[in-house]
Amino acid sequence: MKRTVRALATTTVVVILLLIAWGGIVRATGSGDGCPDWPQCYGSWIPRVEYHTLIEYTHRFLAFLAGSLTLALGLAGGWSLLRRRDVDRPAAIMAVILLPLFLAQAAIGGWIIASHEDPGVVTIHFAVGFLVLGLAVAIAARTRSPAGTGQQAYRRLTAGTAAATYGLLLVGTYVRAEGAGLAFREWPLMGDSIVPNLSRPGAVAMFAHRVLAIVVVSLFVWCMVRARTMRPRSPLLVRLSTAALALLGLQVLVGGANVLTELATWARAAHVGLSALIWTAIVALAMAARVEPANEVHAEALPEVAAGEAPSPTSDTVRAYIALTKPRIIVLLLIITVPAMVLAAGEVPPIGLILATLLGGTLAAGAANAMNMYLDRDIDEVMKRTRQRPLPGHRIEPDAALRFGFALAAGSYLFLAVTVNVLAAVLALSAIAFYVFVYTMWLKRSTDQNIVIGGAAGAVPVLVGWAAVTGSLAMPAVVLFAVVFVWTPPHFWALALRMREDYAAAGVPMLPVVRGEDETRRQIFLYSLVLFATTLVLVPIASMGPVYVATAVVLGGTFVYRCLRLWRAPTDDRSWRVFKFSLLYLAGLFVAVALDALV
């Protein structure tokens, strides 16, 4: 009996998915009036052989199949409740509820025809349709894993994400029904502004749709990150959350295609079909979160306060959150941002613009670093250099750190978009995404070239500074980006040589661990040569003068010499000195960029 109900529930989900996707085709092709009467078509049960008629009638045929399966599922659920044997009661109750809900959906379909596709009725039709699909997915999930509790925090997160997704789907449906898909003909912007003019027809609905889309994307990312870092880790939750995020990413691109192609038929139809798949994936994730993993681990929780012991003062908590942002790294990133702004402007830009860019950049860098600490908290406990960070030191809960990182990321984007410009905000957000997903989650633990590729995130602040002044990018900004990008490997490898045992203990494949210390020192020297050459490329590209040329030659030559000595006569002390000099080198070089532009 269980296998039969499971197969029936799964088949019902597939057919309802096809029904909703085909409904999107009906809307995209304007075939809703292909059969002007209901339930017959032109007074007959056999349709005419006409384009719009066949599309609409196929939709009705799929509705008939879905209704038949829903009836069978409802009867199976009712029979199970009556017998009270071998039954998952919640699944059986949902199966019984599904049938009248589906009948209501069919009746609303007839109402759409009678109302000549009134936007409100169309929205209700899709609202009930997605409820039917969600309920069918929940039943299918219960028939596979009916018991368990899961992790409470993740259950709440996925349930909230599903609710937000449902809201996004309803608003999107209303946008389509209202014909507001081209309320803004720019994408991803809206009238070249983050807060657009909402007086034009359909603008409010489309603006709400895009804002909700940003919220939902953030929640999907959060679900995926939590699934991958949960202990114990559930492969099912990882697969479902990753698939849901991938589908949503594809949906964002298709949404852009709707605007750029001016609502091409294929784009509108694909948008609806993907909506159904995304809804299926997030409901399945929310259901799976109730049972996987079955045992919640509390090892990462903050230690309980002993009797009579005072809790940590607020100042300690504040310092812990500040430490999450890695302030010393942020200072270096800000140092390279201002000279890029000065070079772009040819003078000192307005102080207000500089301060806004630096504050937005600080929030962005803090967000990336906080999420990095959340993801790396397991290896931070192993490494001596990082054991006292807030998470290994149990001064902040891991989930709180992740929420803090997301809040900073959202704050940085909104602040830069409003006070600077949208390009600067997008660049800062891209740096966060690259540092977290490409470097921390993928490269850091998989290849000895992690810091080579991952260093791109640390070079983005120069692009943000340039974009803040000009609203665009240019070749001098690209060269400055390349300078920081090439500087990062020798800078970091010099530190890695000193911390080789730490990285080995943590299982992080840094170059000294994988390829040995001698090869690392050789690579440091080779990269110093490439760096020296890259800094000189800026001279013809940005018409740099003698201040920059002299500084680049002196600092670059000194850095190359120090790296050569480290390779030929290696000592731990010398590698540490190369690391410290690399910091002075980058700061001095960028100060020269600013001075040269002013002179």
Side-chain angles (χ1 to χ4, degrees):
M1 182 65 179
K2 276 186 176 181
R3 291 183 179 178
T4 302
V5 173
R6 184 183 305 157
L8 183 59
T10 303
T11 305
T12 303
V13 170
V14 172
V15 174
I16 293 176
L17 267 172
L18 291 174
L19 174 62
I20 293 177
W22 198 265
I25 294 176
V26 171
R27 292 286 304 159
T29 57
S31 301
D33 290 330
C35 291
D37 49 345
W38 187 87
Q40 291 182 313
C41 185
Y42 289 102
S44 173
W45 292 107
I46 300 176
R48 299 178 180 180
V49 184
E50 295 178 355
Y51 176 74
H52 293 295
T53 299
L54 290 176
I55 290 177
E56 170 62 18
Y57 204 79
T58 300
H59 183 245
R60 296 187 183 185
F61 176 71
L62 288 172
F64 171 75
L65 286 180
S68 301
L69 290 167
T70 300
L71 174 61
L73 195 58
L75 291 174
W79 179 250
S80 298
L81 288 173
L82 290 174
R83 289 177 59 87
R84 296 184 179 181
R85 290 189 303 181
D86 191 28
V87 58
D88 174 48
R89 188 173 179 81
I93 292 174
M94 285 190 290
V96 172
I97 295 174
L98 184 63
L99 179 57
L101 194 63
F102 185 86
L103 293 176
Q105 164 76 346
I108 296 171
W111 185 16
I112 288 178
I113 295 174
S115 68
H116 300 287
E117 301 194 17
D118 179 86
V121 179
V122 172
T123 303
I124 294 173
H125 183 63
F126 270 84
V128 178
F130 280 111
L131 283 179
V132 169
L133 176 59
L135 201 56
V137 173
I139 295 168
R142 293 284 306 193
T143 60
R144 295 179 179 275
S145 303
T149 57
Q151 290 196 13
Q152 186 176 7
Y154 198 67
R155 287 172 58 185
R156 289 197 301 266
L157 173 61
T158 54
T161 303
T165 304
Y166 187 69
L168 174 63
L169 294 173
L170 294 190
V171 174
T173 299
Y174 184 79
V175 167
R176 287 193 300 273
E178 188 71 21
L182 293 178
F184 301 105
R185 294 180 178 271
E186 305 84 11
W187 187 88
L189 302 180
M190 295 168 284
D192 295 322
S193 172
I194 190 171
V195 183
N197 177 12
L198 299 179
S199 62
R200 65 180 73 178
V204 173
M206 176 54 78
F207 179 68
H209 182 58
R210 293 197 184 180
V211 170
L212 270 174
I214 294 172
V215 173
V216 170
V217 168
S218 301
L219 289 172
F220 272 56
V221 171
W222 197 334
C223 287
M224 188 271 288
V225 171
R226 286 285 287 111
R228 289 180 174 273
T229 57
M230 206 182 302
R231 299 293 182 270
R233 177 169 167 167
S234 165
L236 176 60
L237 295 183
V238 171
R239 288 196 299 270
L240 284 174
S241 60
T242 304
L245 182 59
L247 287 170
L248 187 60
L250 182 60
Q251 178 75 317
V252 170
L253 296 178
V254 172
N258 271 275
V259 177
L260 299 177
T261 64
E262 297 189 349
L263 301 179
T265 300
W266 70 266
R268 286 186 289 164
H271 209 49
V272 176
L274 281 170
S275 296
L277 287 174
I278 290 167
W279 178 237
T280 299
I282 194 60
V283 172
L285 178 64
M287 294 301 297
R290 300 177 63 85
V291 297
E292 295 222 4
N295 299 314
E296 187 168 0
V297 175
H298 299 278
E300 294 181 335
L302 289 171
E304 295 183 1
V305 178
E309 182 182 345
S312 299
T314 303
S315 58
D316 289 347
T317 303
V318 171
R319 281 195 292 269
Y321 274 104
I322 292 175
L324 273 179
T325 65
K326 302 182 183 177
R328 286 182 294 181
I329 295 178
I330 290 178
V331 170
L332 182 65
L333 296 179
L334 298 182
I335 287 174
I336 66 176
T337 302
V338 175
M341 298 179 70
V342 173
L343 181 62
E347 59 184 5
V348 177
I351 299 301
L353 179 62
I354 293 177
L355 293 178
T357 305
L358 292 181
L359 179 55
T362 298
L363 294 175
N369 290 330
M371 286 186 268
N372 169 267
M373 282 202 189
Y374 169 83
L375 294 167
D376 280 351
R377 64 192 186 279
D378 56 335
I379 61 177
D380 282 349
E381 287 184 344
V382 178
M383 298 176 62
K384 296 177 182 178
R385 183 173 62 92
T386 56
R387 283 177 186 169
Q388 298 306 313
R389 284 178 174 176
L391 294 181
H394 302 291
R395 301 197 299 279
I396 297 177
E397 293 181 0
D399 283 355
L402 183 60
R403 288 193 296 269
F404 180 62
F406 268 85
L408 289 180
S412 70
Y413 178 82
L414 291 173
F415 182 80
L416 286 171
V418 172
T419 62
V420 181
N421 57 56
V422 175
L423 178 59
V426 169
L427 288 169
L429 191 62
S430 70
I432 297 172
F434 192 90
Y435 187 69
V436 172
F437 298 110
V438 178
Y439 172 67
T440 305
M441 294 186 68
W442 176 31
L443 295 172
K444 186 170 183 177
R445 307 191 192 203
S446 62
T447 174
D448 59 9
Q449 295 300 300
N450 44 25
I451 201 64
V452 176
I453 305 170
V460 171
V462 298
L463 301 181
V464 173
W466 191 280
V469 172
T470 66
S472 62
L473 295 176
M475 277 307 299
V478 175
V479 176
L480 288 175
F481 173 92
V483 167
V484 183
F485 180 76
V486 178
W487 166 86
T488 303
H491 159 74
F492 198 87
W493 284 333
L495 175 65
L497 282 171
R498 190 178 178 89
M499 304 297 174
R500 180 183 180 280
E501 293 183 1
D502 262 7
Y503 286 117
V508 179
M510 286 297 175
L511 193 66
V513 177
V514 176
R515 302 176 65 179
E517 295 184 13
D518 187 63
E519 176 60 20
T520 302
R521 287 188 289 265
R522 189 177 76 89
Q523 290 291 332
I524 289 174
F525 171 65
L526 293 177
Y527 267 90
S528 70
L529 292 176
V530 176
L531 174 62
F532 188 33
T534 306
T535 60
L536 297 180
V537 172
L538 189 64
V539 176
I541 293 294
S543 301
M544 303 304 291
V547 173
Y548 174 80
V549 173
T551 304
V553 170
V554 172
L555 286 179
T558 304
F559 190 49
V560 169
Y561 173 72
R562 285 174 175 265
C563 293
L564 177 62
R565 289 191 64 197
L566 174 62
W567 181 27
R568 294 303 187 189
T571 64
D572 287 343
D573 183 62
R574 188 161 286 156
S575 66
W576 182 244
R577 288 202 300 268
V578 167
F579 169 75
K580 290 193 295 184
F581 181 80
S582 67
L583 296 171
L584 296 174
Y585 168 81
L586 190 68
L589 186 73
F590 273 79
V591 167
V593 169
L595 291 177
D596 194 275
L598 294 175
V599 171

